[in-house]
Amino acid sequence: MNEEIYYSIALTRMTGFNAAMALQLYQALGSSQAVYEHRNDVGDVLPDATPRLREAMKNWDDALKRAAAEMEFITKKGIRAFTMQDADYPQRLCECPDAPILLYYIGSADLNQRYVLNVVGTRQCTSYGKDMVRSFLRDLRQQCPQVLVVSGLAYGIDICAHRNALELGYETVGVLAHGLDQIYPYCHRDDAVRMLRQGGLLTEYMSQTEALPNNFRQRNRIVAGISDATVLVESAYKGGGLITCRIAQEYGRDVFAFPGAVGMPYSEGCNRMIRNNTAALIMSAEDFLESMRWQTVSEQPETVERQLFPDLTPEERKVVDILQQTNDLQLNILSVKSNIPIGQLTALLFQMEMKGIIKPLAGGTYHLVH
């Protein structure tokens, strides 16, 4: 049994899915297991902890029983659980002050792809909104084929984004407001099944967690935090899409909105955000790519032919193959994907840098030179 996952599940129960509080404890002590070991002196770790929290943290019996049952469930269902220590945990989320300490995931997509975009909007989308999603993703796919598309599997713009991504060959991930023992809404089950093979389903909630209204607001922060940018397609004056946009702004992420006709109820949210300079106006994928400065197909230099490096060792070839699939990876992720220990990989990467095959970037990231 993975002890850190076990104690992380219990910690989320102890803190009542209060992500900010769980993260404070986690960061203060370095692991969920350490939080458990200091359960009787939480006040020494967090001087601002309320008397109620200090007392509540002392008895973990029920939480540990529930964690044991959840460990059995995810093992049986083939669900992966990522703690913040795992290389597969979405690294963009680690920058967020209320990131979940644990995520449940089932699917095939890498959550740390070079480009990640979320598309959100109203559940009552119009034909205009559907057309905008379709044309935006179609043109984006032609110019920038390696993008992970994220949304919330809800009615309207969310499911429209997922379905178009699937049809276009993009991987797409749905962030859920409930456990992975159910799909809500159920009518999107077939789409969710397709996403398991071409994307995935992600949640912070354990099984038997119902899709309560507050959970949808909470999940919006994951949609925002896992992505480089948020694109709002249609929104009324109030709506979940606007919440995602606000959170994305707080995280320092780029926010874009498609304008709509003046006076139309499901364009009001987008138009107001554009007017208030809280979202950048876009009318096409070209606008988006120009603002984000993502590398397009036309801008990509020809790939280096492998015969240019006849002296590559098997380990070097393995690294090259991985970076050709997903360029600009961090050292720890490269280590996991290549199954090469970090110490050995560091020396290997230095040799490859000297050969001009790769170059190091900021943040411990390595780039394959084309």
Side-chain angles (χ1 to χ4, degrees), residues 287-336:
D287 292 345
F288 174 80
L289 289 168
E290 182 179 353
S291 295
M292 291 301 295
R293 297 183 180 178
W294 286 0
Q295 190 179 53
T296 63
V297 172
S298 62
E299 296 168 337
Q300 293 173 0
E302 293 184 10
T303 303
V304 175
E305 295 294 334
R306 186 168 295 173
Q307 57 264 33
L308 294 178
F309 305 113
D311 58 341
L312 286 182
T313 66
E315 290 78 12
E316 289 172 339
R317 289 183 185 276
K318 184 182 293 186
V319 172
V320 167
D321 288 341
I322 292 169
L323 290 176
Q324 282 180 331
Q325 294 175 15
T326 309
N327 210 349
D328 299 353
L329 292 176
Q330 292 182 324
L331 176 64
N332 59 344
I333 297 176
L334 264 176
S335 177
V336 171

Short mmCIF file of all heavy atoms in Angstrom, two decimals, residues 287-336:
data_model
loop_
_atom_site.label_atom_id
_atom_site.label_comp_id
_atom_site.label_asym_id
_atom_site.label_seq_id
_atom_site.Cartn_x
_atom_site.Cartn_y
_atom_site.Cartn_z
N ASP A 287 -5.95 34.39 -33.48
CA ASP A 287 -5.85 35.40 -32.43
C ASP A 287 -5.29 34.80 -31.15
O ASP A 287 -4.42 35.37 -30.48
CB ASP A 287 -7.23 36.00 -32.13
CG ASP A 287 -7.77 36.84 -33.26
OD1 ASP A 287 -6.99 37.21 -34.16
OD2 ASP A 287 -8.98 37.13 -33.24
N PHE A 288 -5.82 33.63 -30.81
CA PHE A 288 -5.39 32.96 -29.58
C PHE A 288 -3.91 32.59 -29.65
O PHE A 288 -3.15 32.86 -28.71
CB PHE A 288 -6.25 31.71 -29.37
CG PHE A 288 -5.81 30.85 -28.21
CD1 PHE A 288 -6.15 31.18 -26.92
CD2 PHE A 288 -5.03 29.71 -28.43
CE1 PHE A 288 -5.74 30.40 -25.85
CE2 PHE A 288 -4.62 28.93 -27.38
CZ PHE A 288 -4.96 29.26 -26.08
N LEU A 289 -3.50 31.97 -30.73
CA LEU A 289 -2.11 31.52 -30.87
C LEU A 289 -1.14 32.69 -30.88
O LEU A 289 -0.05 32.61 -30.32
CB LEU A 289 -1.96 30.69 -32.14
CG LEU A 289 -2.61 29.30 -32.09
CD1 LEU A 289 -2.65 28.68 -33.48
CD2 LEU A 289 -1.88 28.39 -31.12
N GLU A 290 -1.55 33.78 -31.49
CA GLU A 290 -0.69 34.96 -31.52
C GLU A 290 -0.49 35.52 -30.11
O GLU A 290 0.61 35.91 -29.73
CB GLU A 290 -1.31 36.04 -32.42
CG GLU A 290 -0.45 37.30 -32.55
CD GLU A 290 -1.06 38.33 -33.46
OE1 GLU A 290 -2.08 38.03 -34.12
OE2 GLU A 290 -0.51 39.45 -33.53
N SER A 291 -1.56 35.53 -29.33
CA SER A 291 -1.47 36.04 -27.96
C SER A 291 -0.66 35.10 -27.06
O SER A 291 0.15 35.55 -26.24
CB SER A 291 -2.87 36.23 -27.37
OG SER A 291 -3.58 37.23 -28.06
N MET A 292 -0.87 33.79 -27.21
CA MET A 292 -0.20 32.82 -26.37
C MET A 292 1.24 32.54 -26.82
O MET A 292 2.05 32.01 -26.06
CB MET A 292 -0.98 31.50 -26.35
CG MET A 292 -2.32 31.58 -25.63
SD MET A 292 -2.18 32.07 -23.89
CE MET A 292 -1.27 30.67 -23.21
N ARG A 293 1.51 32.86 -28.10
CA ARG A 293 2.83 32.60 -28.67
C ARG A 293 3.19 31.11 -28.62
O ARG A 293 4.35 30.75 -28.39
CB ARG A 293 3.91 33.45 -27.96
CG ARG A 293 3.69 34.94 -28.14
CD ARG A 293 4.79 35.77 -27.51
NE ARG A 293 4.55 37.20 -27.72
CZ ARG A 293 5.32 38.16 -27.23
NH1 ARG A 293 6.39 37.86 -26.50
NH2 ARG A 293 5.04 39.42 -27.47
N TRP A 294 2.19 30.30 -28.84
CA TRP A 294 2.44 28.87 -28.95
C TRP A 294 3.02 28.58 -30.34
O TRP A 294 2.63 29.20 -31.32
CB TRP A 294 1.15 28.08 -28.75
CG TRP A 294 0.70 28.03 -27.33
CD1 TRP A 294 1.32 28.59 -26.24
CD2 TRP A 294 -0.48 27.39 -26.83
NE1 TRP A 294 0.60 28.34 -25.10
CE2 TRP A 294 -0.51 27.59 -25.42
CE3 TRP A 294 -1.50 26.65 -27.42
CZ2 TRP A 294 -1.52 27.09 -24.62
CZ3 TRP A 294 -2.51 26.15 -26.62
CH2 TRP A 294 -2.52 26.37 -25.24
N GLN A 295 3.91 27.63 -30.38
CA GLN A 295 4.55 27.28 -31.64
C GLN A 295 3.57 26.56 -32.55
O GLN A 295 2.94 25.58 -32.15
CB GLN A 295 5.77 26.40 -31.37
CG GLN A 295 6.65 26.17 -32.59
CD GLN A 295 7.85 25.31 -32.25
OE1 GLN A 295 7.71 24.23 -31.69
NE2 GLN A 295 9.03 25.79 -32.58
N THR A 296 3.42 27.05 -33.77
CA THR A 296 2.51 26.44 -34.73
C THR A 296 3.29 25.55 -35.69
O THR A 296 4.52 25.57 -35.72
CB THR A 296 1.76 27.50 -35.53
OG1 THR A 296 2.71 28.26 -36.29
CG2 THR A 296 0.99 28.44 -34.61
N VAL A 297 2.55 24.77 -36.48
CA VAL A 297 3.18 23.86 -37.43
C VAL A 297 4.09 24.62 -38.39
O VAL A 297 5.21 24.19 -38.69
CB VAL A 297 2.10 23.08 -38.22
CG1 VAL A 297 2.73 22.29 -39.36
CG2 VAL A 297 1.32 22.15 -37.29
N SER A 298 3.63 25.77 -38.87
CA SER A 298 4.42 26.54 -39.83
C SER A 298 5.69 27.12 -39.23
O SER A 298 6.63 27.45 -39.94
CB SER A 298 3.57 27.68 -40.41
OG SER A 298 3.18 28.57 -39.38
N GLU A 299 5.70 27.25 -37.89
CA GLU A 299 6.87 27.83 -37.22
C GLU A 299 7.88 26.77 -36.77
O GLU A 299 8.97 27.11 -36.33
CB GLU A 299 6.43 28.63 -35.99
CG GLU A 299 5.57 29.83 -36.33
CD GLU A 299 4.92 30.43 -35.10
OE1 GLU A 299 4.76 29.71 -34.11
OE2 GLU A 299 4.54 31.61 -35.16
N GLN A 300 7.47 25.50 -36.86
CA GLN A 300 8.35 24.44 -36.37
C GLN A 300 9.41 24.11 -37.40
O GLN A 300 9.10 23.75 -38.54
CB GLN A 300 7.54 23.17 -36.06
CG GLN A 300 6.58 23.33 -34.90
CD GLN A 300 5.69 22.14 -34.71
OE1 GLN A 300 5.77 21.18 -35.47
NE2 GLN A 300 4.83 22.19 -33.72
N PRO A 301 10.69 24.25 -37.02
CA PRO A 301 11.75 23.86 -37.95
C PRO A 301 11.73 22.36 -38.17
O PRO A 301 11.13 21.61 -37.41
CB PRO A 301 13.03 24.29 -37.22
CG PRO A 301 12.65 24.36 -35.78
CD PRO A 301 11.20 24.71 -35.73
N GLU A 302 12.35 21.94 -39.23
CA GLU A 302 12.37 20.52 -39.55
C GLU A 302 13.03 19.74 -38.42
O GLU A 302 14.04 20.15 -37.86
CB GLU A 302 13.13 20.27 -40.85
CG GLU A 302 12.41 20.85 -42.07
CD GLU A 302 13.12 20.50 -43.36
OE1 GLU A 302 14.04 19.66 -43.31
OE2 GLU A 302 12.76 21.06 -44.39
N THR A 303 12.44 18.58 -38.14
CA THR A 303 12.98 17.74 -37.08
C THR A 303 14.35 17.21 -37.44
O THR A 303 14.61 16.84 -38.57
CB THR A 303 12.02 16.56 -36.83
OG1 THR A 303 10.73 17.08 -36.52
CG2 THR A 303 12.52 15.70 -35.68
N VAL A 304 15.22 17.17 -36.45
CA VAL A 304 16.55 16.63 -36.67
C VAL A 304 16.46 15.17 -37.03
O VAL A 304 15.78 14.38 -36.36
CB VAL A 304 17.41 16.79 -35.40
CG1 VAL A 304 18.76 16.13 -35.58
CG2 VAL A 304 17.58 18.26 -35.06
N GLU A 305 17.08 14.76 -38.13
CA GLU A 305 17.09 13.35 -38.50
C GLU A 305 18.02 12.60 -37.55
O GLU A 305 19.10 13.06 -37.22
CB GLU A 305 17.61 13.20 -39.93
CG GLU A 305 16.70 13.82 -40.98
CD GLU A 305 15.38 13.09 -41.08
OE1 GLU A 305 15.35 11.89 -40.73
OE2 GLU A 305 14.39 13.72 -41.49
N ARG A 306 17.57 11.42 -37.15
CA ARG A 306 18.35 10.68 -36.17
C ARG A 306 19.73 10.31 -36.70
O ARG A 306 20.67 10.20 -35.94
CB ARG A 306 17.57 9.43 -35.75
CG ARG A 306 18.24 8.68 -34.61
CD ARG A 306 17.33 7.62 -34.02
NE ARG A 306 16.20 8.24 -33.40
CZ ARG A 306 15.16 7.52 -32.92
NH1 ARG A 306 15.17 6.22 -33.02
NH2 ARG A 306 14.15 8.13 -32.36
N GLN A 307 19.86 10.15 -38.04
CA GLN A 307 21.17 9.78 -38.56
C GLN A 307 22.19 10.90 -38.36
O GLN A 307 23.38 10.69 -38.54
CB GLN A 307 21.08 9.41 -40.04
CG GLN A 307 20.50 10.49 -40.94
CD GLN A 307 19.03 10.26 -41.19
OE1 GLN A 307 18.34 9.76 -40.30
NE2 GLN A 307 18.55 10.59 -42.37
N LEU A 308 21.71 12.12 -38.03
CA LEU A 308 22.66 13.19 -37.72
C LEU A 308 23.42 12.90 -36.43
O LEU A 308 24.44 13.51 -36.15
CB LEU A 308 21.93 14.53 -37.58
CG LEU A 308 21.28 15.08 -38.86
CD1 LEU A 308 20.56 16.38 -38.55
CD2 LEU A 308 22.34 15.30 -39.94
N PHE A 309 22.88 11.98 -35.63
CA PHE A 309 23.52 11.61 -34.37
C PHE A 309 23.83 10.11 -34.38
O PHE A 309 23.21 9.33 -33.65
CB PHE A 309 22.62 11.94 -33.18
CG PHE A 309 22.17 13.37 -33.15
CD1 PHE A 309 20.83 13.69 -33.36
CD2 PHE A 309 23.07 14.40 -32.94
CE1 PHE A 309 20.41 15.00 -33.34
CE2 PHE A 309 22.65 15.72 -32.91
CZ PHE A 309 21.32 16.02 -33.11
N PRO A 310 24.75 9.67 -35.19
CA PRO A 310 25.01 8.24 -35.32
C PRO A 310 25.60 7.62 -34.04
O PRO A 310 25.58 6.41 -33.89
CB PRO A 310 26.02 8.16 -36.47
CG PRO A 310 26.69 9.51 -36.46
CD PRO A 310 25.64 10.47 -36.06
N ASP A 311 26.11 8.47 -33.16
CA ASP A 311 26.77 7.94 -31.96
C ASP A 311 25.86 7.95 -30.74
O ASP A 311 26.33 7.85 -29.61
CB ASP A 311 28.04 8.75 -31.67
CG ASP A 311 27.76 10.25 -31.47
OD1 ASP A 311 26.68 10.70 -31.91
OD2 ASP A 311 28.61 10.93 -30.87
N LEU A 312 24.54 8.08 -30.94
CA LEU A 312 23.62 8.06 -29.81
C LEU A 312 23.66 6.69 -29.13
O LEU A 312 23.57 5.66 -29.78
CB LEU A 312 22.19 8.35 -30.26
CG LEU A 312 21.83 9.79 -30.63
CD1 LEU A 312 20.36 9.88 -31.00
CD2 LEU A 312 22.13 10.74 -29.49
N THR A 313 23.74 6.72 -27.80
CA THR A 313 23.64 5.48 -27.04
C THR A 313 22.17 5.09 -26.94
O THR A 313 21.28 5.92 -27.19
CB THR A 313 24.21 5.67 -25.63
OG1 THR A 313 23.36 6.60 -24.92
CG2 THR A 313 25.63 6.22 -25.67
N PRO A 314 21.87 3.86 -26.54
CA PRO A 314 20.46 3.46 -26.37
C PRO A 314 19.70 4.37 -25.40
O PRO A 314 18.54 4.70 -25.63
CB PRO A 314 20.56 2.02 -25.85
CG PRO A 314 21.86 1.52 -26.40
CD PRO A 314 22.78 2.70 -26.38
N GLU A 315 20.38 4.79 -24.32
CA GLU A 315 19.73 5.67 -23.35
C GLU A 315 19.45 7.04 -23.95
O GLU A 315 18.39 7.64 -23.73
CB GLU A 315 20.59 5.83 -22.09
CG GLU A 315 20.69 4.58 -21.23
CD GLU A 315 21.67 3.57 -21.80
OE1 GLU A 315 22.43 3.93 -22.72
OE2 GLU A 315 21.67 2.40 -21.33
N GLU A 316 20.41 7.56 -24.75
CA GLU A 316 20.21 8.85 -25.40
C GLU A 316 19.08 8.78 -26.41
O GLU A 316 18.26 9.71 -26.51
CB GLU A 316 21.50 9.31 -26.07
CG GLU A 316 22.60 9.72 -25.08
CD GLU A 316 23.93 9.99 -25.76
OE1 GLU A 316 24.14 9.49 -26.89
OE2 GLU A 316 24.77 10.68 -25.15
N ARG A 317 19.00 7.68 -27.15
CA ARG A 317 17.91 7.51 -28.11
C ARG A 317 16.55 7.50 -27.40
O ARG A 317 15.56 8.04 -27.89
CB ARG A 317 18.09 6.20 -28.89
CG ARG A 317 19.25 6.23 -29.88
CD ARG A 317 19.33 4.93 -30.67
NE ARG A 317 20.50 4.91 -31.53
CZ ARG A 317 20.55 5.47 -32.74
NH1 ARG A 317 19.47 6.08 -33.21
NH2 ARG A 317 21.64 5.42 -33.47
N LYS A 318 16.52 6.88 -26.22
CA LYS A 318 15.28 6.81 -25.44
C LYS A 318 14.83 8.22 -25.05
O LYS A 318 13.64 8.57 -25.17
CB LYS A 318 15.50 5.96 -24.19
CG LYS A 318 14.23 5.74 -23.37
CD LYS A 318 14.51 4.93 -22.13
CE LYS A 318 14.91 3.51 -22.44
NZ LYS A 318 15.04 2.69 -21.19
N VAL A 319 15.76 9.05 -24.60
CA VAL A 319 15.43 10.43 -24.22
C VAL A 319 14.96 11.22 -25.44
O VAL A 319 13.98 11.97 -25.37
CB VAL A 319 16.65 11.12 -23.57
CG1 VAL A 319 16.39 12.61 -23.36
CG2 VAL A 319 16.98 10.45 -22.23
N VAL A 320 15.65 11.06 -26.57
CA VAL A 320 15.26 11.75 -27.80
C VAL A 320 13.84 11.35 -28.20
O VAL A 320 13.01 12.20 -28.57
CB VAL A 320 16.26 11.46 -28.95
CG1 VAL A 320 15.68 11.91 -30.29
CG2 VAL A 320 17.58 12.16 -28.69
N ASP A 321 13.53 10.06 -28.15
CA ASP A 321 12.20 9.59 -28.52
C ASP A 321 11.13 10.22 -27.64
O ASP A 321 10.05 10.61 -28.12
CB ASP A 321 12.13 8.06 -28.41
CG ASP A 321 12.91 7.36 -29.52
OD1 ASP A 321 13.17 8.01 -30.55
OD2 ASP A 321 13.24 6.17 -29.35
N ILE A 322 11.40 10.30 -26.35
CA ILE A 322 10.43 10.87 -25.41
C ILE A 322 10.22 12.35 -25.70
O ILE A 322 9.08 12.83 -25.75
CB ILE A 322 10.91 10.67 -23.95
CG1 ILE A 322 10.88 9.18 -23.59
CG2 ILE A 322 10.04 11.47 -22.98
CD1 ILE A 322 11.58 8.85 -22.30
N LEU A 323 11.31 13.09 -25.91
CA LEU A 323 11.19 14.53 -26.16
C LEU A 323 10.58 14.82 -27.53
O LEU A 323 9.99 15.88 -27.72
CB LEU A 323 12.56 15.20 -26.03
CG LEU A 323 13.12 15.27 -24.60
CD1 LEU A 323 14.52 15.87 -24.61
CD2 LEU A 323 12.20 16.09 -23.70
N GLN A 324 10.72 13.90 -28.48
CA GLN A 324 10.06 14.10 -29.77
C GLN A 324 8.55 13.98 -29.64
O GLN A 324 7.80 14.61 -30.37
CB GLN A 324 10.58 13.08 -30.79
CG GLN A 324 11.96 13.45 -31.36
CD GLN A 324 12.47 12.43 -32.38
OE1 GLN A 324 12.13 11.26 -32.30
NE2 GLN A 324 13.28 12.89 -33.31
N GLN A 325 8.11 13.17 -28.69
CA GLN A 325 6.67 13.02 -28.46
C GLN A 325 6.11 14.20 -27.68
O GLN A 325 5.06 14.75 -28.01
CB GLN A 325 6.38 11.72 -27.70
CG GLN A 325 6.72 10.47 -28.50
CD GLN A 325 6.54 9.21 -27.67
OE1 GLN A 325 5.91 9.23 -26.62
NE2 GLN A 325 7.11 8.11 -28.13
N THR A 326 6.80 14.60 -26.61
CA THR A 326 6.39 15.72 -25.76
C THR A 326 7.63 16.49 -25.37
O THR A 326 8.36 16.08 -24.46
CB THR A 326 5.64 15.24 -24.50
OG1 THR A 326 4.60 14.35 -24.86
CG2 THR A 326 5.07 16.42 -23.73
N ASN A 327 7.88 17.59 -26.04
CA ASN A 327 9.11 18.34 -25.79
C ASN A 327 8.98 19.18 -24.52
O ASN A 327 7.89 19.38 -23.99
CB ASN A 327 9.43 19.24 -26.98
CG ASN A 327 10.93 19.47 -27.14
OD1 ASN A 327 11.72 19.12 -26.26
ND2 ASN A 327 11.32 20.04 -28.26
N ASP A 328 10.15 19.64 -24.04
CA ASP A 328 10.22 20.52 -22.87
C ASP A 328 9.65 19.84 -21.62
O ASP A 328 8.61 20.23 -21.09
CB ASP A 328 9.50 21.84 -23.12
CG ASP A 328 10.10 22.63 -24.27
OD1 ASP A 328 11.15 22.21 -24.78
OD2 ASP A 328 9.52 23.65 -24.65
N LEU A 329 10.34 18.81 -21.16
CA LEU A 329 9.93 18.08 -19.97
C LEU A 329 10.89 18.34 -18.82
O LEU A 329 12.09 18.54 -19.03
CB LEU A 329 9.87 16.58 -20.25
CG LEU A 329 8.79 16.10 -21.21
CD1 LEU A 329 8.92 14.60 -21.45
CD2 LEU A 329 7.40 16.43 -20.67
N GLN A 330 10.35 18.31 -17.60
CA GLN A 330 11.19 18.48 -16.42
C GLN A 330 11.98 17.19 -16.16
O GLN A 330 11.61 16.11 -16.58
CB GLN A 330 10.34 18.83 -15.21
CG GLN A 330 9.71 20.22 -15.29
CD GLN A 330 8.90 20.55 -14.06
OE1 GLN A 330 8.25 19.68 -13.48
NE2 GLN A 330 8.93 21.80 -13.64
N LEU A 331 13.07 17.36 -15.41
CA LEU A 331 13.97 16.25 -15.13
C LEU A 331 13.24 15.07 -14.49
O LEU A 331 13.43 13.92 -14.90
CB LEU A 331 15.11 16.73 -14.22
CG LEU A 331 16.11 15.66 -13.76
CD1 LEU A 331 16.88 15.08 -14.94
CD2 LEU A 331 17.08 16.26 -12.74
N ASN A 332 12.40 15.35 -13.49
CA ASN A 332 11.74 14.24 -12.79
C ASN A 332 10.77 13.49 -13.70
O ASN A 332 10.64 12.27 -13.62
CB ASN A 332 11.03 14.74 -11.53
CG ASN A 332 9.98 15.79 -11.81
OD1 ASN A 332 9.96 16.37 -12.88
ND2 ASN A 332 9.12 16.04 -10.85
N ILE A 333 10.09 14.22 -14.60
CA ILE A 333 9.18 13.56 -15.52
C ILE A 333 9.94 12.73 -16.54
O ILE A 333 9.57 11.61 -16.87
CB ILE A 333 8.29 14.61 -16.22
CG1 ILE A 333 7.43 15.34 -15.18
CG2 ILE A 333 7.41 13.96 -17.29
CD1 ILE A 333 6.59 16.46 -15.75
N LEU A 334 11.07 13.27 -17.03
CA LEU A 334 11.93 12.51 -17.94
C LEU A 334 12.42 11.22 -17.29
O LEU A 334 12.51 10.17 -17.92
CB LEU A 334 13.12 13.36 -18.37
CG LEU A 334 13.02 14.12 -19.70
CD1 LEU A 334 14.25 14.98 -19.90
CD2 LEU A 334 12.85 13.17 -20.86
N SER A 335 12.75 11.33 -16.01
CA SER A 335 13.25 10.16 -15.28
C SER A 335 12.18 9.07 -15.21
O SER A 335 12.47 7.89 -15.43
CB SER A 335 13.69 10.56 -13.87
OG SER A 335 14.11 9.44 -13.14
N VAL A 336 10.94 9.49 -14.93
CA VAL A 336 9.84 8.52 -14.83
C VAL A 336 9.56 7.88 -16.20
O VAL A 336 9.44 6.66 -16.32
CB VAL A 336 8.57 9.20 -14.29
CG1 VAL A 336 7.38 8.26 -14.39
CG2 VAL A 336 8.78 9.63 -12.85
#
